[in-house]
Structure formats: structure tokens, C-alpha cells
Amino acid sequence: MESQYKGCSVNRGIESGTREKELGVANKRKIIRGFDLFLRVAAVVLSLSAAVVLGADRQNTTVAVMLVPTLPAVNVPVTAKWHYSSAFVYFMVANAIACAYGAISVLVITLANREEKPRVATMILVFDLMMVVLLFSSFGASLAVGLISYRGNSHAHWRKVCNVIGKFCHQGSAALGLSAVASLVFFLLVLSKILNLATRENIWLA
Amino acid sequence: MESQYKGCSVNRGIESGTREKELGVANKRKIIRGFDLFLRVAAVVLSLSAAVVLGADRQNTTVAVMLVPTLPAVNVPVTAKWHYSSAFVYFMVANAIACAYGAISVLVITLANREEKPRVATMILVFDLMMVVLLFSSFGASLAVGLISYRGNSHAHWRKVCNVIGKFCHQGSAALGLSAVASLVFFLLVLSKILNLATRENIWLA
């Protein structure tokens, strides 16, 4: 009888150990999914903010222009808008797509059932990678135009414009900063998934 | 005796079936690795070509400038070099890094032994992802400057320069095209690895 009880308690010990392990894995999964969703929401907010900040970026000012050296300078009105540069248009489109996709991905991940999850996760990872490409290329394009606006290019005779439209340039820089962080968040999402997948044992050998 | 022989032949049949399966998997692995190495060599050649084509891009020409309306135009010498634009400098650095990394990755993959392979493959995938970011952001930056060179920007009073330095612009476009393909090759390398990893059964559930 004693040995029977002993065997029973050992079995119970193994069962409770397995349950604890399962609970541990489930908790780990929950934490990873929670962090993933937090990053996604952050990416949505950041790319939306970048698009809104650049979309609302507009400056009306006047520049004193000397038309004839002997006459006094004439004040010419100058307006700066984001859609005057094709790089900023691309930036807007890229951030709008990233924001919309981010929101859709949060919904899809939350609503997918257990059977659909593997396929959904693969699709999401591929689209995340596309967002990395989209956001970093648009960031590069906008930064290049921003640098010419700030410093000009003496070789091409492109004069800097940020001394005239300073407010527009500062707001544009803020939009660029927000988009840079959104790009890094999507990069982090892809990187974490890749490391999560690739560090499994023997995954590369099969 | 007959039944013994029969059992033996069944065993042999199973063994040969397993061997065939193993051979099939080994062949598939070889094909995938061969394709991966082919893509890497292509990326090295393309990014090297992009850097060389832009590095050799230089044009000396003259522009007729009217200094005083009553006097005849004066021919002013104009020189165009890639390092006159910070976007092109970034493009050169990005393509040089991608080329060097691509060559190192081919060596590392070829020389890694069986035990090192999983770690090496993970590292390579992470670095591939970084190359995607580097190349696409530099492509975006250079394309933005290239577009201003071709079309100018009337709002910022940046005049197009490609009507003067046409040869420089054409060679620059070729470099951009080569780098775009190199970027897509690195993107394809990351995408194929991701799909290869992610489509394994239950990979996302563990």
C-alpha cells in the first residue's frame, strides 16, 4: 500500500512539474505576444503621428527680393507645403500605409483562431519586412531632401531654404524623427521574430 | 524460411525508402544552399558594380553664363563628382559595406563546419536584414537627389542640373539601377529564409 502511495505521489509530482512547465511556456508566449502587440500599437501611433505632423506642416512667409539693384527690396510671399517635394509625398504615403497596415495587423493577430495562427504569423512577418523596406527608403529620401533644405548644395547651386521657412523645417524634422522610430519598431518586430525562429535547435539543418 | 526472407525484403524496402528520402532532403538542402550562394555572389557583383559605376562618375563641361546682359556669355567650367552630394556619399558607403559583407558571408557560409552552421546562419540572416535597411535607405536618398537633379524643384528654386551634366546623370542612374537590384537580392535572401523557417509546422506555437 505504501509503495502504491509512493508511486502515486511520484506520478503526481511529475504531472505537476509538467503542468508548471506548460504554464511557464504559456506565460512566456503571453508575454511575447503582449510585447509584439505593444510594439505594433507603438508603430501605428508613431507612423500616424509622423504623417499628421508632416500633413499639417505648412508655412506662409515673405522674402525680401531685390528685383533691381537701384530700387528697394520687394516682399514676395512664400508658401511651403509638404506636397511640393516628391520625397515628402512618398514619406506621407509610406507612413500612411505603415499606419493602416499596423492597425490591420493588430486586429488580424487578435482575431485569428488557433488553426489560422501559423499562416497569419508568416504573412504578418512578410508584411512587416515590407514595411521596413518602405519606411527606411522613404526616411532616406526625406532626409536627403531635408539636408539640402538645411544646408543647400553649392555645387548644384541649390540654396538652403530653411533660413526662410524655419518653422516648416523644424516640423518636418519632427515628422522625420517620429518616422525613424516607427521604422526601428518594425525592424525590431522582424528581428525579434527572426531570432525567435532561428534560435530553435537544429532549425537550419532540416 | 520463406517468411524470414519476406521480412528481410520488407526491411530492405523500408531501409531503401528511408535512404531515398534522406537523399532527397540532402539534395533539396544542396539546391537551397546553392541558390543562396548564387544570390550572395550576385549581390556582391551588383553592389560592387554600383559603387564602381558611381565612383567613376565624373563630368567636366562648360556652361554659358550671362554675367552682364549687354556683354556676350562667358563659358564657365563645371565639374560634377559623386562626393559633391552627401546622399551619393551614403550610397557609396552603403554599397561598399554590402559588397564587403556579401563577400565575407560567402566565405563564412562555405567555411563553417556542421556544428557552427546554426549560429552562423542566424547571424547571417540578421546581417542580411541590416543590409536590406542600409541599401534601401541609401537608394531612397540617392533617388530623391537624382529626381531633383533631373526635374529640379520650382518651389525651392532648385534648378535641374541634368540638362548640363547629362552624362553624369545617366551614369548615376545606372549605379542606382544596379544598387536597386542588389537591394532586391538581399530582400529575397531574407524573405526566402523567413519563409523557409516560418512554414515549418507548429513553428509559431512553441
Side-chain angles (χ1 to χ4, degrees):
Chain A
M1 281 294 277
E2 211 177 90
S3 68
Q4 266 188 0
Y5 281 126
K6 253 190 188 170
C8 220
S9 68
V10 168
N11 276 344
R12 271 182 201 154
I14 291 167
E15 269 174 28
S16 70
T18 317
R19 259 183 218 159
E20 271 173 22
K21 219 174 179 180
E22 275 174 10
L23 276 170
V25 171
N27 278 337
K28 206 180 163 189
R29 262 186 233 163
K30 269 188 186 174
I31 291 167
I32 290 172
R33 274 185 201 157
F35 185 62
D36 184 283
L37 281 176
F38 167 74
L39 284 182
R40 264 168 216 289
V41 174
V44 170
V45 173
L46 286 161
S47 50
L48 179 68
S49 309
V52 169
V53 168
L54 190 69
D57 199 4
R58 167 194 283 255
Q59 189 177 357
N60 293 307
T61 187
T62 51
V63 188
V65 177
M66 295 269 280
L67 293 173
V68 183
T70 49
L71 289 174
V74 179
N75 280 331
V76 178
V78 171
T79 306
K81 287 176 188 171
W82 62 271
H83 56 83
Y84 286 173
S85 160
S86 44
F88 293 156
V89 173
Y90 178 46
F91 179 92
M92 272 295 261
V93 172
N95 277 278
I97 290 174
C99 172
Y101 159 74
I104 292 167
S105 74
V106 169
L107 276 178
V108 169
I109 288 171
T110 319
L111 298 175
N113 61 38
R114 204 178 163 80
E115 281 166 23
E116 293 166 348
K117 270 203 163 83
R119 276 195 182 182
V120 164
T122 308
M123 265 177 53
I124 293 277
L125 181 52
V126 171
F127 277 105
D128 282 356
L129 182 63
M130 284 178 185
M131 291 306 119
V132 168
V133 166
L134 196 69
L135 286 179
F136 272 101
S137 59
S138 77
F139 177 75
S142 304
L143 188 65
V145 175
L147 276 178
I148 298 171
S149 306
Y150 263 108
R151 302 192 311 199
N153 188 312
S154 58
H155 303 286
H157 296 281
W158 296 334
R159 276 181 296 178
K160 60 180 175 184
V161 290
C162 285
N163 50 341
V164 179
I165 47 163
K167 189 221 139 216
F168 180 86
C169 287
H170 285 134
Q171 202 164 321
S173 306
L176 264 176
L178 288 164
S179 183
V181 186
S183 316
L184 284 174
V185 169
F186 273 111
F187 178 79
L188 208 63
L189 277 167
V190 175
L191 190 69
S192 65
K193 278 275 167 62
I194 281 177
L195 290 177
N196 189 21
L197 284 174
T199 48
R200 283 157 212 272
E201 220 175 341
N202 295 328
I203 200 75
W204 296 101
L205 301 174
Chain B
M1 282 291 278
E2 211 175 272
S3 67
Q4 267 188 357
Y5 282 125
K6 252 189 189 172
C8 219
S9 68
V10 167
N11 276 344
R12 272 181 202 156
I14 292 167
E15 269 175 28
S16 69
T18 317
R19 259 183 219 160
E20 270 172 24
K21 218 174 180 180
E22 274 174 10
L23 276 170
V25 171
N27 278 337
K28 208 179 162 190
R29 263 187 231 160
K30 268 188 187 173
I31 291 167
I32 290 172
R33 275 185 200 154
F35 186 62
D36 183 285
L37 281 175
F38 167 74
L39 283 182
R40 264 169 216 289
V41 173
V44 170
V45 173
L46 286 161
S47 49
L48 179 67
S49 309
V52 168
V53 168
L54 190 70
D57 199 5
R58 167 195 282 253
Q59 190 178 355
N60 293 307
T61 185
T62 51
V63 187
V65 178
M66 294 269 281
L67 293 173
V68 183
T70 49
L71 290 172
V74 179
N75 280 332
V76 178
V78 171
T79 306
K81 288 176 188 170
W82 62 271
H83 56 83
Y84 285 173
S85 160
S86 44
F88 294 155
V89 172
Y90 178 45
F91 179 92
M92 271 295 262
V93 172
N95 277 280
I97 290 173
C99 172
Y101 159 73
I104 291 167
S105 74
V106 169
L107 275 178
V108 169
I109 288 171
T110 319
L111 298 175
N113 61 39
R114 204 176 163 81
E115 282 166 22
E116 293 165 348
K117 270 202 162 83
R119 278 195 180 181
V120 164
T122 308
M123 265 176 53
I124 292 278
L125 180 53
V126 171
F127 278 105
D128 283 355
L129 182 64
M130 284 178 186
M131 292 307 117
V132 168
V133 167
L134 196 70
L135 286 178
F136 272 101
S137 59
S138 77
F139 177 76
S142 304
L143 188 66
V145 175
L147 275 177
I148 298 172
S149 306
Y150 262 109
R151 303 193 309 200
N153 188 311
S154 59
H155 303 287
H157 297 281
W158 296 334
R159 276 181 295 179
K160 60 179 175 184
V161 290
C162 285
N163 49 341
V164 179
I165 47 163
K167 189 223 139 213
F168 180 86
C169 287
H170 285 133
Q171 200 164 322
S173 306
L176 265 175
L178 287 164
S179 184
V181 186
S183 315
L184 285 174
V185 169
F186 273 110
F187 178 79
L188 208 63
L189 276 168
V190 175
L191 190 70
S192 65
K193 278 277 165 62
I194 282 177
L195 290 176
N196 188 21
L197 284 174
T199 48
R200 283 157 212 273
E201 220 176 343
N202 294 328
I203 201 77
W204 296 100
L205 302 173

